[in-house]
């Protein structure tokens, strides 16, 4: 024990260890807080504590300074400035990130809207493509029908030409037969023998022709069609007796019918179609007959009778009455589309008449003939119709002529039929007048009424084909035609 103590006392070192500063004090190895050593003590090399290290040959004092070095103010300021700059950059980056986030949201919304728009465009494109294909097919079908109609018209013109040649030959044969009949009549006067006379009568009896039989059959068929507008002034049995032809008489004594049973197409330089009959006349076609028209305002094809022999020609006939063969007591749809026979009595059609009058400014001419053969006319310097949604209302201009003005009273009036009552009367004027017309309350003219034979007629109502300023309302005219041409 004593030796060890001795050795420890002889081999001790003074170890100076400055402790960590805590709260202005120094912390010793035994955990006690003491006052920090003064700077003069540190400079003198003195230590706050002394440790005895056995068996160490170290001279002098070992001092361990654990105090952190003091920082320079400029370096602190630079660090603070760098930290501030980094903080500003961080704020800018955060702001930029927020802006980019909102922009990305907008881009996503626009992309979604663009996708929906592209889908809608694709749908519309498909629909448009289907419509284009459908219209193309319709155009092809329309061209095919036009080609068929033009071919049929050409064939009809060829048949008409052949028929006209046959008519010429028939006329030549008729004149030959007439001259032969005259010669036979002279021979009969010279012959005193009864037997010879009977022989000559047998020779002069003409054969029955198929054309005459066909004509009589058509007349009997039209008479047997006992509709509302049949000629009511003559009994049915009288009409049937009149249609029987006495073949025992010579051909020269048989009076030809007033109207031919068939009127052919005129021989034209080209098959058309034309805008109207004035266009036909301007193209060099001066024969009256049926022509093919194309209404440019509606791209419609129709046939109409062109009158080229009256009032300088160029007239498109829109209505004609002459023998009572066609019933004019019709429905609205029939008056709209047209009906009848283009070679005889017919009505062109309200819809066709509307589109025809849209091509230019037209005037109207009404030609009337009584049963004594007197002809008069009434002309109006402008004429057109309103569309169907306004019931084809009549629009007329100023009147001039020698028939008297019986149509201006119907100006600005809607068209009325039995199934469409658009007149100003309490009842239906079409029911009483037996036709379709621009009735008011009710009529000063009724050109689509009942065709009565002989002029004056007896009826419960004034339902004949009359023009009040020409023979009054109780006189049914023999022939009536309405026609228009550009002014």
């Amino acid at each position: 024990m004593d030796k060890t103590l001795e050795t420890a006392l002889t081999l001790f070192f003074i170890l100076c260890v400055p402790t960590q500063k805590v709260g202005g004090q120094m912390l010793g190895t035994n955990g006690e807080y003491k006052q920090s050593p003064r700077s003069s003590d540190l400079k003198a090399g003195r230590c706050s504590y002394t440790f005895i290290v056995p068996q160490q040959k170290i001279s002098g004092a070992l001092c361990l300074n654990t105090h952190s070095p003091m920082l320079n103010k400029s370096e602190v300021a630079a660090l603070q400035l760098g930290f501030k700059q980094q903080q500003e950059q961080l704020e800018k980056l955060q702001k930029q990130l927020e802006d980019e986030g909102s922009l990305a949201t907008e881009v996503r919304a626009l992309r979604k809207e663009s996708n929906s728009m592209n889908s809608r465009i694709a749908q519309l494109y498909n629909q448009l493509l289907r419509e284009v294909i459908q219209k193309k097919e319709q155009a092809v079908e329309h061209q095919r029908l036009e080609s068929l109609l033009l071919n049929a018209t050409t064939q009809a013109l060829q048949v008409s030409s052949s028929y006209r040649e046959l008519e010429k030959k028939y006329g030549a044969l008729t004149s030959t037969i007439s001259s032969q009949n005259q010669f036979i009549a002279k021979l009969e006067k010279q012959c005193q023998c009864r037997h010879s006379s009977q022989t000559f009568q047998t020779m002069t009896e003409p054969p029955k022709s198929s054309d005459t039989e066909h004509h009589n059959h058509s007349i009997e068929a039209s008479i047997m069609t006992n509709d509302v507008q049949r000629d009511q002034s003559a009994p049915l049995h009288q009409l049937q007796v009149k249609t029987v032809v006495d073949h025992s008489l010579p051909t020269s004594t048989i009076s030809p019918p007033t109207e031919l049973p068939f009127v052919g197409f005129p021989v034209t330089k080209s098959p058309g179609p034309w805008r109207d009959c004035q266009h036909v006349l301007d193209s060099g076609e001066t024969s009256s007959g049926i022509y093919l028209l194309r209404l440019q305002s509606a791209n419609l094809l129709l046939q109409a009778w062109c009158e080229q022999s009256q009032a300088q020609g160029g007239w498109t006939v829109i209505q004609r009455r002459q023998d009572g063969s066609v019933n004019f007591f019709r429905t609205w749809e029939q008056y709209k589309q047209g009906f009848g026979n283009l070679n005889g009595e017919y009505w062109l059609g309200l819809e066709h008449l509307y589109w025809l009058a849209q091509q230019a400014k037209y005037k109207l001419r009404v030609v009337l003939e009584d049963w004594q053969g007197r002809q008069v006319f009434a002309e109006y310097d402008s004429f057109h119709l309103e569309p169907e949604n306004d019931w084809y209302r009549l629009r007329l201009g100023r009147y001039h002529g020698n028939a008297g003005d019986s149509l201006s009273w119907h100006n600005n009036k809607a068209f009325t039929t039995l199934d469409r009552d658009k007149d100003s009367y309490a009842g239906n004027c079409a029911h009483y007048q037996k036709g379709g017309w621009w009735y008011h309350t009710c009529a000063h003219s009724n050109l689509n009424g009942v065709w009565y034979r002989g002029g004056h007629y007896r009826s419960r109502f004034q339902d004949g084909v009359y023009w009040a300023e020409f023979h009054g309302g109780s006189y049914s005219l023999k022939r009536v035609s309405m026609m228009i041409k550009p002014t």
Side-chain angles (χ1 to χ4, degrees), residues 16-19 21 26 35-49 61-67:
C16 297
V17 182
T19 57
K21 181 178 180 182
M26 299 299 293
Q35 293 293 334
S36 61
R38 293 175 296 186
S39 60
S40 60
D41 294 336
L42 294 174
K43 291 179 181 180
R46 287 180 278 186
C47 300
S48 301
Y49 298 91
L62 293 177
C63 297
L64 178 62
N65 189 7
T66 60
H67 184 71

Side-chain angles (χ1 to χ4, degrees), residues 59-277:
S59 62
L62 293 177
C63 297
L64 178 62
N65 189 7
T66 60
H67 184 71
S68 62
M70 298 296 293
L71 295 176
N72 193 358
K73 293 183 178 181
S74 60
E75 295 178 354
V76 172
L79 291 174
Q80 291 179 351
L81 180 60
F83 178 74
K84 186 176 181 180
Q85 291 177 353
Q86 291 179 357
Q87 189 174 5
E88 292 177 354
Q89 291 180 357
L90 182 61
E91 292 177 354
K92 290 180 180 179
L93 290 174
Q94 289 178 351
K95 185 176 181 181
Q96 185 177 0
L97 182 61
E98 293 176 356
D99 294 339
E100 290 180 353
S102 61
L103 182 61
T105 303
E106 293 179 358
V107 167
R108 285 194 296 270
L110 290 175
R111 185 172 297 172
K112 184 177 180 180
E113 185 176 358
S114 176
N115 292 333
S116 62
M117 187 65 69
N118 290 334
S119 176
R120 179 60 177 167
I121 290 173
Q123 183 181 0
L124 292 176
Y125 177 76
N126 292 332
Q127 183 178 358
L128 180 62
L129 184 61
R130 287 195 299 269
E131 291 180 356
V132 169
I133 294 173
Q134 184 178 3
K135 289 184 178 179
K136 187 175 181 180
E137 293 176 352
Q138 291 178 356
V140 171
E141 182 67 17
H142 184 67
Q143 291 178 358
R144 188 182 69 83
L145 293 176
E146 284 186 355
S147 177
L148 291 176
L149 182 58
L150 291 176
N151 292 335
T153 304
T154 304
Q155 293 177 1
L157 293 176
Q158 293 175 356
V159 172
S160 173
S161 177
S162 302
Y163 180 78
R164 292 174 69 87
E165 294 295 331
L166 291 176
E167 276 188 335
K168 291 179 181 179
K169 294 180 180 179
Y170 178 77
L173 291 175
T174 303
S175 61
T176 303
I177 293 173
S178 178
S179 62
Q180 290 179 357
N181 288 334
Q182 292 177 2
F183 178 71
I184 292 172
K186 290 180 182 180
L187 291 178
E188 286 180 349
K189 289 180 181 180
Q190 295 176 0
C191 182
Q192 302 295 328
C193 181
R194 181 177 180 182
H195 177 73
S196 300
S197 175
Q198 292 177 355
T199 304
F200 281 120
Q201 288 179 0
T202 305
M203 293 175 59
T204 56
E205 182 177 355
K208 296 182 180 180
S209 63
S210 60
D211 294 339
T212 306
E213 292 178 356
H214 175 71
H215 178 60
N216 294 336
H217 176 72
S218 63
I219 294 177
E220 291 176 0
S222 64
I223 293 173
M224 293 304 293
T225 306
N226 188 12
D227 51 24
V228 179
Q229 290 200 353
R230 178 177 60 81
D231 179 15
Q232 302 177 11
S233 61
L236 183 60
H237 67 276
Q238 292 182 7
L239 294 176
Q240 293 175 348
V241 170
K242 290 181 181 179
T243 59
V244 178
V245 181
D246 188 4
H247 296 289
S248 63
L249 297 176
T251 307
S252 59
T253 61
I254 300 175
S255 60
T258 305
E259 296 292 333
L260 294 175
F262 175 81
V263 179
F265 291 88
V267 180
T268 60
K269 300 176 183 178
S270 62
W274 294 270
R275 292 189 305 273
D276 51 26
C277 293

Side-chain angles (χ1 to χ4, degrees), residues 369-375 454-456 470-471 475-478:
E369 181 181 349
D370 61 13
W371 288 87
Q372 288 73 38
R374 179 187 173 190
Q375 289 189 357
H456 292 284
F470 182 53
H471 291 304
Y475 186 96
S476 185
L477 300 171
K478 183 178 182 180

